Amino acid sequence: MAAPQKPLTAVPRGVWLLLVLALLLNIGWQASRPLDTARARALPPAPSSAALQLAALGEPVALARLTMLYVQGADEQAGVSVAWRELDYPTVIGWLQRVLELDPRGQSPLLAASQVYGAVGDPTRARLMLDFVHARFAEDPDRRWPWLAHAALVARHRLHDLPLARAYARDIRLYATSPQVPDWARQLEIFILEDMNELDAARTLVGGLLDSGQVTDPRELKFLADRLQQLQQQQQNHPTGR
């Protein structure tokens, strides 16, 4: 048999006072607390290759993709957005290197390095990322040339460092020799030499490409022949060009 319920009026006045006092204290305590502010967490150093291989459990490509998502999330955290120029680039490079080690055929790390992190407005950080792209290009030139080509354009147009742009373009011409590499990529050095007013070198390079037999497309051959003629005309009009 259920016990009869008592009306609220039966509650002693002292209990009501304690309840109201507790409520007021709770409101005052909550109001006095500082507002929670979102703080960006720094990207920790990348783990060792051995640790990542162990964590991959035989699925390194899957872990590479998850790791890449983790790295890209470093600039977009809950409640806070971190500018790329505020990231610790050596640490970011360490993570990108680990992703490449897990999946050497993956393109995401070098795409992010050349087109995202390399586009930062800080020249020092941009150079670090371009150097990383250049170093990793040497390991697989025929697959990784697009990212070095973009690095050359960043060096040319954003850093205004024509010698650096030429060095990248030259390596594409020398080492990216697969038939799948487009002619424009191998000819990129010509345009940079023209920007440097190195007309002799540009003319020699065009002539070398024409004689090498590497270019077989009739349209590309005509383009190079026309370009050679234009360079010769430029030298006649401006004989001081080297």
Side-chain angles (χ1 to χ4, degrees):
M1 183 175 179
Q5 293 184 348
K6 294 182 179 180
L8 290 177
T9 53
V11 178
R13 179 175 296 181
V15 173
W16 282 111
L17 288 175
L18 286 174
L19 183 61
V20 171
L21 181 60
L23 179 62
L24 291 175
L25 286 173
N26 187 39
I27 293 174
W29 179 65
Q30 293 291 346
S32 64
R33 291 179 61 189
L35 295 175
D36 290 336
T37 55
R39 294 182 180 178
R41 291 176 290 102
L43 188 66
S48 68
S49 297
L52 278 178
Q53 291 291 349
L54 185 64
L57 299 176
E59 296 290 344
V61 175
L63 183 58
R65 291 173 181 168
L66 290 174
T67 305
M68 196 65 212
L69 289 175
Y70 171 73
V71 175
Q72 291 176 313
D75 56 277
E76 287 294 340
Q77 301 176 21
V80 62
S81 180
V82 181
W84 292 328
R85 64 178 177 277
E86 295 174 0
L87 295 174
D88 185 317
Y89 266 39
T91 300
V92 174
I93 288 172
W95 279 98
L96 297 179
Q97 174 64 27
R98 292 291 181 266
V99 175
L100 277 178
E101 289 168 359
L102 285 169
D103 181 16
R105 295 177 63 85
Q107 301 281 25
S108 298
L110 294 179
L111 184 153
S114 64
Q115 300 196 9
V116 178
Y117 301 117
V120 70
D122 181 340
T124 301
R125 283 181 166 82
R127 287 177 187 276
L128 282 175
M129 207 54 73
L130 299 189
D131 287 347
F132 170 70
V133 172
H134 186 209
R136 303 285 74 80
F137 159 83
E139 298 165 353
D140 191 355
D142 288 339
R143 288 179 54 82
R144 296 178 178 176
W145 67 265
W147 320 124
L148 190 61
H150 191 271
L153 295 178
V154 171
R156 179 188 185 188
H157 295 291
R158 296 195 180 183
L159 299 180
H160 305 291
D161 189 339
L162 291 176
L164 182 65
R166 186 198 174 187
Y168 292 164
R170 181 188 57 222
D171 282 359
I172 293 172
R173 174 175 60 83
L174 292 177
Y175 303 114
T177 55
S178 165
Q180 279 70 45
V181 178
D183 292 327
W184 68 261
R186 286 196 289 264
Q187 296 162 11
L188 185 59
E189 187 182 2
I190 297 171
F191 300 100
I192 297 172
L193 284 170
E194 288 185 58
D195 287 348
M196 298 172 74
N197 202 29
E198 296 281 0
L199 299 184
D200 269 344
R203 191 163 56 85
T204 301
L205 180 56
V206 173
L209 284 171
L210 283 170
D211 294 337
S212 67
Q214 293 179 331
V215 182
T216 57
D217 188 318
R219 292 171 299 179
E220 291 295 333
L221 288 171
K222 183 178 184 309
F223 170 79
L224 288 175
D226 292 344
R227 201 67 195 161
L228 184 60
Q229 189 173 9
Q230 291 169 9
L231 287 168
Q232 290 170 339
Q233 187 65 42
Q234 280 181 260
Q235 281 191 298
Q236 290 174 2
N237 295 337
H238 304 283
T240 54
R242 291 175 290 176

